[in-house]
């Protein structure tokens, strides 16, 4: 077998059996190997940002890495924005990046670039295979890195001649690194804080702590000690809906975040980081916790936060008896005009059991949390890195990881255009995804930021940089052109009907919410 085939066989044997691809000439031997090696599902994306975002979504829902196949340095560069988001979400991914044949690199052909240099800022593990005999072992090492605790983004660069030359065979992937436990001393310290000042303590949680089990333990601890439980503004994945402990998240807007945190004298971090502002603003703090508030880390990424919360619950003598029913908003089907509130109510009412919500709604989505707490149980995924255009690709990976679950993607019109090619892949793979595009014809988030940074009142040229008109985008037509049925809605009654039909039907659907 050649080097490419040995790599594909190693990947399948190592449990990496989904590959999101956008290949080119240097990757053709890898593509050919896909026909000779059973067990690898290949998903074509028409842009590399779709490919890398899909791999992020797959890991978040499956918990095991997928691979990507990218074409040389420019192909990797096109995918870096969503690799940035994946890195911030601690997602494990194996990137396979083709390179020129070793003997051709020195000629400085048009696509020659420093691929390792491009990869390193977003990849924790980077290696170029020197020869065909090394390819399988290097692939196994990349898989091990992606499956480590915490997971890593691993990038393996495959020179063309290493792919087509003879290789020895398939390599064994090293045994997976088990998720680290936790520090009993850190749990003991957190218990002392809660015993001494429960009402002045914030338990700030993300990662595995926001699973259904982690939230249930946090609810017991909060009701027993009087502490408050919150999540950061953005989280990779969070269990929500009826029967699950509903917590607040730190508000994106500094003026609203500061009073949320003002009373706390202690913050206990459960995989989270010290809360900071998303951007720097004139005359506003970067650190959001109040002066004099002490920060204590209980667990870090890669540690077993659920086990740590179990130990903390035991230490403060919290049990199921401490759980009290939460007051949740009643679910109602709204009528009349489309407002942020009515949109939130419509979505909450329509969420099916065990759905996956992918949220890139930015300004519109700030009203979604209170009503959706009473919706059917679901998982909520958000953008961790701030690079927009993540949601429609992420939904592809989530839908492939969980084919029996409905995925609902909420995205602003500006963000949707970054990776609109995702719709084509959704149609080609017949994925159960409902894409809701909030079409307010403006980069609304940027209009707010214009004010926040003190740039003054925007003039005609500045407004032209923020508005999405001349021409107006037609998302129903864009979706149709890529094989996805769509419809536009202008009021809550139309939105309710469109949601009900889209959720009930298999395959992809798009709803343009004209605001």
């Amino acid at each position: 077998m050649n080097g490419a085939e040995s790599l594909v066989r190693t990947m399948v044997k190592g449990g990496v059996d989904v590959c999101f691809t956008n290949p080119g000439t240097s990757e053709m031997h890898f593509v050919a190997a896909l026909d000779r090696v059973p067990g690898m599902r290949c998903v074509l994306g028409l842009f590399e940002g779709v490919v890398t975002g899909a791999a992020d979504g797959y890991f978040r829902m499956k918990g095991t890495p997928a691979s990507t196949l990218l074409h040389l340095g420019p192909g990797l560069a096109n995918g870096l924005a969503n690799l940035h988001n994946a890195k911030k979400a601690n997602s494990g991914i194996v990137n396979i990046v083709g390179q020129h044949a070793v003997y051709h690199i020195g000629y400085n052909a048009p696509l020659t670039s420093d691929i390792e240099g491009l990869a390193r800022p977003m990849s924790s593990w980077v290696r170029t295979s020197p020869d065909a005999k090394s390819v399988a072992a290097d692939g196994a090492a990349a898989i091990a890195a992606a499956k480590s605790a915490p997971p890593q983004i691993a990038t393996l660069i495959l020179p063309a001649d290493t792919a087509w030359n003879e290789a020895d065979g398939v390599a064994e992937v090293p045994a997976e690194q088990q998720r680290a436990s936790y520090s009993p001393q850190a749990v003991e310290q957190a218990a002392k804080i809660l015993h001494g000042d429960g009402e002045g303590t914030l338990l700030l949680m993300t990662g595995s702590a926001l699973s259904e089990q982690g939230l249930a333990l946090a609810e017991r601890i909060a009701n027993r000690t009087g502490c408050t439980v919150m999540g950061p503004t953005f989280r990779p994945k969070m269990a929500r809906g009826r029967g699950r402990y509903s917590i607040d998240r730190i508000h994106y807007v500094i003026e609203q975040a500061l009073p949320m945190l003002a009373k706390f004298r202690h913050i206990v971090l459960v995989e989270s980081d010290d809360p900071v502002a998303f951007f720097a603003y004139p005359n506003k703090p970067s650190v959001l916790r109040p002066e004099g508030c002490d920060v204590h880390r209980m667990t870090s990424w890669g540690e077993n936060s659920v086990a740590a919360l179990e130990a903390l619950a035991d230490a403060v003598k919290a049990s199921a008896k401490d759980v009290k029913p939460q007051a949740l908003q009643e679910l109602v089907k709204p009528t009349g005009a489309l407002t942020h509130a009515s949109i939130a109510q419509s979505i909450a009412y329509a969420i099916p059991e065990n759905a996956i919500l992918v949220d890139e709604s930015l300004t519109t989505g700030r009203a979604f949390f209170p009503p959706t707490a009473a919706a059917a149980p679901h998982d909520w995924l958000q953008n961790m890195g701030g690079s927009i255009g993540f949601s429609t690709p992420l939904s592809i990976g989530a839908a492939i990881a969980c084919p029996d679950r409905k995925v609902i993607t909420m995205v602003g019109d500006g963000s949707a255009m970054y990776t609109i090619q995702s719709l084509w892949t959704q149609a080609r793979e017949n994925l159960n995804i409902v894409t809701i595009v909030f079409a307010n014809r403006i980069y609304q988030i940027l209009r707010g930021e214009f004010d926040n940074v003190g740039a003054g009142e925007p003039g005609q040229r500045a407004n032209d940089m923020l508005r999405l008109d001349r021409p107006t985008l037609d998302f129903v037509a864009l979706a149709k052109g890529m094989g996805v049925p769509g419809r536009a809605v202008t009021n809550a009654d139309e939105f309710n009907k469109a949601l009900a039909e889209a959720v009930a039907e298999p395959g992809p659907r798009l709803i343009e919410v004209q605001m």
Side-chain angles (χ1 to χ4, degrees):
M1 68 180 74
N2 63 22
E5 185 176 330
S6 73
L7 177 57
V8 176
R9 290 187 183 278
T10 297
M11 292 168 67
V12 172
K13 185 175 181 180
V16 179
D17 55 5
V18 173
C19 185
F20 299 100
T21 73
N22 189 280
T25 303
S26 299
E27 296 77 41
M28 286 299 101
H29 281 273
F30 187 101
V31 173
L34 298 173
D35 281 323
R36 297 193 295 270
V37 181
M40 178 70 78
R41 179 174 181 178
C42 302
V43 180
L44 180 63
L46 300 185
F47 172 63
E48 292 89 343
V50 173
V51 168
T52 53
D56 182 11
Y58 184 89
F59 182 87
R60 293 202 206 184
M61 295 311 304
K62 193 79 170 181
T64 59
S67 64
T68 69
L69 181 61
L70 306 170
H71 184 45
L72 290 110
L76 173 62
N78 277 341
L80 285 179
N82 274 330
L83 287 178
H84 166 78
N85 292 331
K87 184 177 182 181
K88 292 289 186 177
N90 286 273
S91 292
I93 298 172
V94 176
N95 297 312
I96 307 299
V97 184
Q99 170 63 294
H100 288 306
V102 173
Y103 64 81
H104 192 68
I105 294 174
Y107 294 108
N108 196 28
L111 278 169
T112 303
S113 65
D114 180 4
I115 302 177
E116 287 194 1
L118 288 168
R120 284 195 182 95
M122 309 307 176
S123 303
S124 302
W125 185 101
V126 179
R127 184 177 298 174
T128 299
S129 284
D131 51 56
K133 295 183 182 297
S134 304
V135 168
D138 289 342
I143 294 169
K147 289 184 173 182
S148 65
Q152 301 178 50
I153 295 176
T155 298
L156 175 62
I157 301 163
L158 192 65
D161 48 340
T162 68
W164 70 59
N165 290 335
E166 289 297 312
D168 290 339
V170 180
E172 291 284 343
V173 176
E176 291 183 32
Q177 179 183 342
Q178 297 298 310
R179 175 178 285 272
S181 185
Y182 60 89
S183 165
Q185 294 78 16
V187 171
E188 182 181 354
Q189 175 67 14
K192 287 180 180 178
I193 293 165
L194 292 173
H195 279 306
D197 190 11
E199 292 187 357
T201 300
L202 169 64
L203 207 61
L204 186 60
M205 310 199 316
T206 192
S208 61
L210 295 182
S211 62
E212 184 174 6
Q213 186 180 3
L215 287 167
L217 290 163
E219 183 177 21
R220 297 177 186 182
I221 294 165
N223 287 331
R224 180 69 175 177
T225 65
C227 76
T228 300
V229 182
M230 287 188 191
T233 307
F234 303 102
R235 301 151 315 279
K237 179 182 174 185
M238 181 180 185
R240 303 196 75 243
R242 290 191 302 271
R244 295 168 171 179
Y245 185 39
S246 177
I247 63 174
D248 283 335
R249 52 180 174 170
I250 297 174
H251 206 285
Y252 174 89
V253 178
I254 290 179
E255 289 82 356
Q256 297 183 50
L258 293 176
M260 293 179 75
L261 302 176
K263 74 172 186 177
F264 298 116
R265 294 176 288 275
H266 301 276
I267 297 178
V268 176
L269 302 177
V270 186
E271 297 192 48
S272 294
D273 292 322
D274 201 354
V276 298
F278 207 81
F279 293 108
Y281 301 103
N283 303 313
K284 296 179 184 180
S286 292
V287 178
L288 300 179
R289 58 181 160 81
E291 187 175 351
C293 177
D294 295 325
V295 177
H296 317 266
R297 177 162 296 284
M298 191 171 85
T299 60
S300 299
W301 280 101
E303 293 185 321
N304 193 332
S305 293
V306 171
L309 288 168
E310 287 177 341
L312 181 59
D314 288 342
V316 299
K317 296 180 169 55
S319 69
K321 296 178 181 178
D322 294 301
V323 174
K324 303 171 185 176
Q326 283 188 285
L328 301 175
Q329 288 189 16
E330 181 183 359
L331 292 181
V332 295
K333 189 182 290 187
T335 62
L338 286 171
T339 65
H340 289 181
S342 67
I343 289 170
Q345 290 170 345
S346 292
I347 291 172
Y349 193 90
I351 293 173
E353 191 85 15
N354 207 27
I356 301 166
L357 270 70
V358 181
D359 180 10
E360 194 177 15
S361 48
L362 300 177
T363 48
T364 305
R366 292 175 188 169
F368 289 172
F369 253 51
T372 52
H378 58 276
D379 286 322
W380 196 286
L381 282 57
Q382 288 186 292
N383 188 344
M384 292 298 296
S387 178
I388 63 177
F390 100 104
S391 60
T392 54
L394 197 89
S395 65
I396 292 170
I400 288 175
C402 304
D404 57 335
R405 301 175 66 177
K406 181 69 74 171
V407 179
I408 299 175
T409 305
M410 305 174 296
V411 60
D413 47 3
S415 297
M417 288 304 296
Y418 274 62
T419 46
I420 195 68
Q421 307 92 331
S422 302
L423 297 176
W424 182 87
T425 301
Q426 293 178 18
R428 189 183 220 221
E429 299 292 325
N430 195 32
L431 301 177
N432 290 319
I433 300 171
V434 180
T435 301
I436 306 170
V437 179
F438 302 108
N440 53 14
R441 316 302 184 197
I442 188 173
Y443 282 117
Q444 187 61 50
I445 185 73
L446 295 184
R447 181 60 187 87
E449 295 299 330
F450 198 96
D451 296 334
N452 288 336
V453 300
E457 186 65 25
Q460 181 60 50
R461 290 183 181 178
N463 269 317
D464 280 347
M465 299 303 102
L466 305 177
R467 297 199 59 81
L468 300 176
D469 55 10
R470 304 197 331 267
T472 298
L473 294 164
D474 185 341
F475 283 93
V476 175
L478 287 166
K480 181 181 179 181
M482 285 182 273
V484 175
R487 62 180 295 183
V489 299
T490 59
N491 59 55
D493 297 282
E494 293 175 351
F495 190 33
N496 294 332
K497 182 179 180 183
L499 276 171
E501 293 174 353
V503 166
E505 292 293 324
R509 297 288 186 276
L510 179 136
I511 303 170
E512 180 180 351
V513 180
Q514 296 181 351
M515 303 173 65

